[in-house]
C-alpha cells in the first residue's frame, strides 16, 4: 500500500536499536513468553534500565517475522524508542489488526511486497491517533482510524502517512475497523471497477466464507438480482447462505464447474479467483461472453505450514496465460488485482473506501469477525486461517492477554490433538521437520477458545444484518 | 452476430440456383460490368428468360466474395429466386451497407466468421422491411431498420432474424443507419462494459479517424473530463481534434508511447487496441494501475491487398500473451472484444444499441460518413479503407449507378496514378502478381469523386455537433 517507506523506516530504526542478535533465528522460546511481561514493564518506568531518556523509555510490543517458515516464525518482541514523525505522518496506538492471506504467503517467503526479515508484517489495523506530524491537517490526536499499509501494522504503535488512514465511523468497533479495509476495498474494486457488476448478473466467489468472500457476497447483494455462487466446505453453507450466497457449493466433495453449469449452463458474468493455478483455467472457461475473470491470489500455493515447493511449482506450471486472440474470440476479460501492489494509488483506494464506508453506514455491509486473538496467539490465528477453519475475518487484538488465559493450556489438549492430526494429514508429503515445529507450536499455544465461543454466540446477529 | 444461420441459408440456396461455375476464380472481367445491367433487367420482366414463375423472376444484385485475395475478389453478381422466410425472419430491401475491417480481413481469408467463398460478406446494413415471416410481431412491412449479421448483408435483399434488426430513429439517413451499428456497439461495449469508463479518465484511441475511432471518441466525450489520445496521420488531426480528440498523435512520424508519456507520465486508464502484435505490448505497458487494455483486432496483419504471410506471421509471433501473476502485480485488465464473435448475444447487443440510439437522439453522437460508393465500386471502397485514406465510415449504397458516372473514368487518371504509386510502395516486399491485379482493379475503377466531394462539404457540420 504505502508508496512511501515510512513503516519500513520505523521498522529499521527500531530494530537497529533493539537487535544485536542475528536476524536469522533468534532464541525463539525465550523471546516470545517474556514479551507480554516486557510490555507491562514498559508501563512501569522502574523496569527500564541504565540511561532512561524519554525517547528510550518508550517501548511497545510488536510481532516480528524473524525468517521464512512456519507459524513460529512470527514472534512477539518489544521495540524501544519513540518513533520520530516525518511531515505528513501520524503515530497510531494500534487496537486491532486484520490477518490477510498475503500475510500467510509472506511468512513463507511467497510475497514480494514484504521486505526481508526481520520485519513486522500487517497490512491493516485500527487504532487511535497518538501523535501528529507536521503538515497533517486532517487528523488529530484522539481520532479513531483505520490504517492500510504495505506491512508493519502488527504492533502496538505504528507510524504511517496520514493519507493511509481513514476515520472510523461512529459505532464501528476497533475489531470491525481492522477487519474492513483490505477485504472490502479488494472486493469492491474487483466487483465494481474491473467487474463492472450490474443487475441480473452472476458471480462465482471462491472461499465464500473467507474475509474477501464474505465482503464480496455482501457487496454483490447491494446490486439487484445478482446470483452468487460460493464455494466453501459444507459446514459453512448455512452461514454463507444466510449471508447472501445463492448457491453454496462444497468444493471438497463436488466439482464446482459442473455444479455451476447445472444451474447456469451459459456460465458466469464474473469469477473472482483467489486460487490460481488450474482453477484459473476453470474460471476462464466458466465465463460467458463479456465475462470477467478477476484473479487476485495464488492461495493454491499454500499447502502446509511452510513453503511447499511442490505446491509452488504446480501453481507456476499451471499458471494461466492467455493470448489476445483467444480473448477476442471469446469476448472475455482477464484482470489481476492485489491491493498490496497498488502502491501510491491512495486516491483510487480512498474513492473505493468512501463508498464502502457509505454502504457500512447504510447497514448494507458489515464485517463478520471469525475470531479475535491476542498478539501472543498469532500462530494459532494464522493456522486457523490457513487451514480454512474460519468463517469471516481473523483479527488480532493488542489488549494484553489476561494471566488466567495463559494458564489454561491443558483445557485445550483435546483440541490440540485434533489439530495435530489434521496437520499430519496435510503435511504427510513433506519430509522436513514439520513435527518438531508443531510441538514447538503447541507449547506456545494459548487460549483462543473464549474468542471462538464469543464468536459462535455472535454468529446469529450478523446474519440477520446481512440480509 | 447471427447465432442462427439464416443468412447462410439464404446464401446457399441462392448460390446453388445461380452458380454452375467454379467457386474459385470465375471470369472476373466479364462478370462485374454486366451486373448493373442485369439488375436493370430484373426490373424489366422482358429480360427474364424461359420459365418465369414468380419466385424465379425475383432477382437482386449481390456482392459475392468469390475467393480469398485482392479487391477484385468481391464481385457484383445477380441472385435469382425469392428467399423463403422462416419463422422469426424478415426480408429487408437494403439501402446502404457499412464496411468494416473484418470485411477486409475476410477477403484475405483472415476472418473465420465468414463461411468459405462463394459467400456474400457484410455485417451491417440499413433498409426497409419488405416481407415478414411468421411469429414476427415487432416488425412490419415498411419499417426502416438497421441490421446486424455475421455476414450476408452486402446485397439488395437480405433475409435476417427480426431480432437482429433495430428500428431506425426518425430523421436518421440510411447512410448513417448503415454506419452506426458495428462501430458504435463495438465502441460502446468496449468503453462502458469492459472499460468501465468514468470521469477524469484517459483513453488511447488508435486509428482515431476510423469508424470505431470516431465512435469511441464521441462516446468518450459523453463522460465528464475524459482525455482522449488519438493516433492518426497528420492530415486528419484537425478533423479528429474537432471531433473530440484531446491529443492527436501522428503515429507515422512519432513514437506514440513517448508522446503519451510526455503528457500523461503515469500512463492511461484505457487503451483500445485494434492493431495487435507488438502494439498490444505497448498498450499494456501504457496502462496505469487499474487500467484496462481492450484489444479488438489484428489490423497489423493487413499489409497490402492480398494476404501478406510475413505480416501475419509477424503478428502471430508478437502476439501478446499474459500471465496472471503479471496481471496481479500490475493490477491490470486485458480484454478481447469482437462483435463478430458475440453469437447469439442479441440481448447484450440490444441493450448497448438502445443506449447508443438514445445518445443519437440526444445529439451526443452521430456517425461520420467518409464516403459512399456504389456496389460496383466496392473494390475502391475497400481500398480507401484499407489504405487508411478515410475519415469516418466507408459506406456502400445499393442505388443503381448513373450511366454518366460509369463513363467518367478518364477524369480520374491522375488520381489513379497516385494510388498505383502508393500501392507499389506498400507492396514492394511482395513478390506476387500484385501489379497485374492493380491494373485489373484500375480498369474496374468507377467514380467515387462525387461522393468524396460531397463528404468534404459535409465535414463542417458533424464537427459542430460533436462538440
Amino acid at each position: 500500500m504505502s508508496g512511501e517507506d515510512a513503516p519500513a523506516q520505523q521498522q529499521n530504526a527500531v530494530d537497529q536499536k533493539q537487535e544485536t542478535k542475528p536476524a536469522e533465528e533468534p532464541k525463539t522460546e525465550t523471546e516470545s513468553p517474556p514479551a507480554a511481561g516486557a510490555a507491562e514493564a514498559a508501563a512501569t518506568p522502574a523496569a527500564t534500565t541504565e540511561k532512561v531518556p524519554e525517547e528510550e523509555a518508550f517501548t511497545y510490543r510488536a510481532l516480528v517475522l524473524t525468517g521464512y517458515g512456519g507459524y513460529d516464525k512470527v514472534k512477539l518482541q518489544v521495540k524501544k524508542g519513540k518513533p520520530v514523525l516525518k511531515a505528513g505522518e501520524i503515530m497510531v496506538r494500534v487496537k486491532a489488526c486484520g490477518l490477510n492471506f498475503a500475510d500467510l504467503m509472506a511468512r513463507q517467503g511467497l510475497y514480494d511486497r514484504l521486505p526481508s526479515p526481520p520485519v513486522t508484517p500487517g497490512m491493516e489495523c485500527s487504532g487511535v491517533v497518538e501523535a501528529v506530524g507536521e503538515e497533517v491537517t486532517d487528523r488529530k490526536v484522539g481520532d479513531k482510524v483505520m490504517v492500510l499499509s504495505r506491512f508493519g501494522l502488527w504492533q502496538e504503535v505504528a507510524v504511517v502517512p496520514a493519507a493511509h488512514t481513514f476515520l472510523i465511523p461512529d459505532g464501528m468497533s476497533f475489531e470491525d475497523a481492522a477487519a474492513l479495509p483490505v477485504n472490502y476495498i479488494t472486493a469492491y474494486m474487483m466487483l465494481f471497477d474491473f467487474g463492472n457488476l450490474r443487475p441480473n448478473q452472476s458471480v462465482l466467489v471462491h472461499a465464500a466464507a473467507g474475509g474477501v468472500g464474505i465482503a464480496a457476497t455482501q457487496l454483490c447483494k447491494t446490486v439487484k438480482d445478482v446470483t452468487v455462487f460460493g464455494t466453501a466446505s459444507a459446514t459453512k453453507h448455512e452461514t454463507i447462505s444466510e449471508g447472501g450466497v445463492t448457491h453454496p457449493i462444497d468444493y471438497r466433495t463436488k466439482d464446482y464447474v459442473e455444479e455451476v453449469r447445472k444451474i447456469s449452463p451459459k456460465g458466469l458474468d464474473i469469477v473472482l479467483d483467489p486460487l490460481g493455478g488450474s482453477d484459473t483455467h476453470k474460471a476462464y472457461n466458466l465465463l460467458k461472453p463479456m465475462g470477467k475473470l478477476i484473479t487476485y491470489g495464488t492461495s493454491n500455493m499454500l499447502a502446509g505450514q511452510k513453503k511447499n515447493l511442490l505446491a509452488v511449482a504446480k501453481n507456476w506450471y499451471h499458471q494461466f496465460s492467455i493470448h489476445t486472440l483467444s480473448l477476442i474470440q471469446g469476448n472475455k476479460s482477464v484482470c489481476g488485482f492485489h491491493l498490496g501492489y497498488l502502491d501510491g494509488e491512495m486516491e483510487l483506494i480512498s474513492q473505493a473506501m468512501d463508498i464502502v464506508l457509505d454502504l457500512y453506514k447504510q447497514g448494507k455491509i458489515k464485517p463478520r469477525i471469525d475470531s479475535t486473538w491476542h498478539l501472543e496467539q498469532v500462530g494459532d490465528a494464522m493456522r486457523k486461517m490457513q487451514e480454512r477453519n474460519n468463517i469471516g475475518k481473523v483479527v488480532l487484538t493488542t489488549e494484553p492477554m489476561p494471566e488466567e488465559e495463559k494458564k489454561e493450556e491443558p483445557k485445550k489438549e483435546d483440541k490440540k490433538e485434533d489439530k495435530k492430526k489434521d496437520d499430519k494429514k496435510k503435511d504427510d508429503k513433506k519430509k522436513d521437520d514439520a513435527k518438531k515445529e508443531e510441538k514447538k507450536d503447541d507449547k506456545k499455544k494459548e487460549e483462543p477458545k473464549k474468542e471462538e465461543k464469543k464468536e459462535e454466540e455472535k454468529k446469529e446477529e450478523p446474519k440477520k444484518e446481512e440480509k
Side-chain angles (χ1 to χ4, degrees), chain A:
Chain A
M1 224 72 43
S2 140
E4 303 82 292
D5 45 3
Q9 290 195 0
Q10 179 193 357
Q11 182 63 37
N12 294 345
V14 176
D15 281 344
Q16 277 158 22
K17 281 185 206 152
Q18 174 198 6
E19 301 221 328
T20 47
K21 56 191 157 34
E24 280 303 283
E25 274 266 341
K27 328 100 211 172
T28 322
E29 243 87 356
T30 54
E31 246 168 16
S32 197
E40 284 161 34
T44 323
T48 57
T49 47
E50 284 150 10
K51 26 171 180 152
V52 201
E54 198 195 349
E55 298 291 295
E56 292 277 319
F58 190 97
T59 65
Y60 52 100
R61 294 182 305 148
L63 291 171
V64 177
L65 179 68
T66 54
Y68 301 128
Y71 304 121
D72 65 324
K73 293 295 182 189
V74 181
K75 300 185 196 301
L76 187 58
Q77 300 184 347
V78 175
K79 293 187 184 178
K80 288 181 199 167
K82 192 168 189 172
V84 179
L85 299 187
K86 287 189 295 191
E89 289 183 339
I90 60 175
M91 188 168 89
V92 177
R93 177 65 56 174
V94 176
K95 299 292 184 183
C97 315
L99 253 74
N100 288 290
F101 243 85
D103 299 316
L104 305 181
M105 305 284 282
R107 197 196 68 236
Q108 297 196 355
L110 293 171
Y111 181 58
D112 63 5
R113 304 304 277 167
L114 199 78
S116 305
V119 61
T120 291
M123 302 165 67
E124 61 188 339
C125 73
S126 60
V128 178
V129 177
E130 190 162 293
V132 166
E134 282 175 20
E135 295 172 27
V136 174
T137 55
D138 54 351
R139 297 286 178 271
K140 58 183 193 303
V141 172
D143 278 350
K144 293 178 179 180
V145 290
M146 290 171 262
V147 185
L148 267 179
S149 183
R150 245 175 67 197
F151 62 95
L153 301 184
W154 286 359
Q155 51 188 345
E156 287 180 322
V157 170
V159 173
V160 294
H164 287 213
T165 64
F166 310 91
L167 292 174
I168 297 179
D170 288 343
M172 188 190 275
S173 70
F174 283 119
E175 281 188 2
D176 279 6
L180 185 136
V182 170
N183 290 167
Y184 282 82
I185 292 174
T186 295
Y188 182 84
M189 293 184 86
M190 291 197 297
L191 287 172
F192 293 99
D193 190 335
F194 281 148
N196 198 7
L197 178 64
R198 281 155 305 164
N200 298 308
Q201 292 193 321
S202 52
V203 182
L204 172 59
V205 177
H206 280 292
V212 174
I214 283 176
T217 303
Q218 290 179 4
L219 287 168
C220 280
K221 302 320 275 183
T222 65
V223 178
K224 199 164 170 280
D225 297 330
V226 167
T227 303
V228 180
F229 294 81
T231 66
S233 51
T235 54
K236 301 176 182 175
H237 283 197
E238 199 186 327
T239 311
I240 63 172
S241 293
E242 285 168 341
V245 170
T246 327
H247 303 291
I249 301 172
D250 182 3
Y251 68 99
R252 295 187 198 224
T253 59
K254 285 182 177 171
D255 177 342
Y256 66 83
V257 173
E258 273 178 31
E259 295 302 304
V260 169
R261 289 276 180 209
K262 270 186 212 165
I263 295 160
S264 186
K266 276 190 73 180
L268 301 164
D269 294 296
I270 298 175
V271 180
L272 304 183
D273 162 42
L275 307 171
S278 58
D279 286 293
T280 313
H281 295 256
K282 292 180 187 173
Y284 185 78
N285 291 329
L286 270 177
L287 292 182
K288 279 185 194 172
M290 300 307 292
K292 289 118 190 153
L293 158 61
I294 305 154
T295 180
Y296 65 105
T298 52
S299 66
N300 280 340
M301 273 192 195
L302 275 192
Q305 211 194 124
K306 293 169 85 175
K307 180 151 79 179
N308 179 329
L309 284 177
L310 183 65
V312 173
K314 216 167 132 191
N315 199 80
W316 272 98
Y317 182 78
H318 288 295
Q319 195 195 158
F320 186 68
S321 141
I322 182 78
H323 279 72
T324 46
L325 279 187
S326 312
L327 286 171
I328 289 175
Q329 295 181 352
N331 283 295
K332 292 180 178 181
S333 163
V334 178
C335 320
F337 184 84
H338 201 291
L339 197 55
Y341 293 92
L342 266 186
D343 273 73
E345 298 299 325
M346 283 311 295
E347 204 183 316
L348 279 179
I349 292 172
S350 296
Q351 284 167 9
M353 190 62 153
D354 286 347
I355 299 173
V356 163
L357 290 180
D358 212 47
L359 291 169
Y360 177 86
K361 288 172 200 160
Q362 294 171 38
K364 291 187 176 168
I365 60 165
K366 174 162 175 48
R368 180 191 173 87
I369 311 293
D370 170 76
S371 50
T372 304
W373 308 71
H374 293 288
L375 295 183
E376 291 85 346
Q377 299 169 308
V378 64
D380 287 338
M382 289 190 291
R383 181 197 301 270
K384 182 153 198 210
M385 189 170 173
Q386 186 162 331
E387 295 183 355
R388 321 230 178 217
N389 291 324
N390 58 314
I391 303 187
K393 191 78 176 181
V394 177
V395 170
L396 299 172
T397 173
T398 57
E399 267 178 41
M401 194 169 174
E403 281 305 312
E404 62 273 22
E405 284 190 27
K406 289 180 199 166
K407 288 169 201 149
E408 281 175 18
E409 265 186 88
K411 259 194 197 171
K412 289 205 68 206
E413 218 46 70
D414 52 328
K415 205 161 184 202
K416 266 181 242 169
E417 278 310 308
D418 287 352
K419 270 188 193 163
K420 237 189 237 172
K421 270 183 227 156
D422 282 351
D423 285 350
K424 264 184 207 152
K425 241 184 276 169
K426 290 204 179 149
D427 293 351
D428 258 349
K429 303 157 212 139
K430 291 166 64 186
K431 57 213 166 299
D432 59 34
D433 52 355
K435 269 183 213 165
K436 218 168 69 194
E437 289 210 13
E438 275 164 37
K439 270 183 205 152
K440 262 196 253 170
D441 281 354
D442 286 347
K443 270 190 208 156
K444 287 182 294 160
K445 203 172 285 175
E446 311 288 345
E447 181 59 87
K449 232 179 192 169
K450 205 170 133 191
E451 279 76 19
E452 285 173 350
K453 261 188 204 153
K454 226 192 295 170
E455 266 319 300
E456 265 155 32
E457 287 161 19
K458 273 192 225 163
K459 263 177 208 170
E460 300 312 310
E461 279 187 64
K463 277 177 211 163
K464 276 173 208 156
E465 291 172 60
E466 279 162 12
K467 269 181 193 166

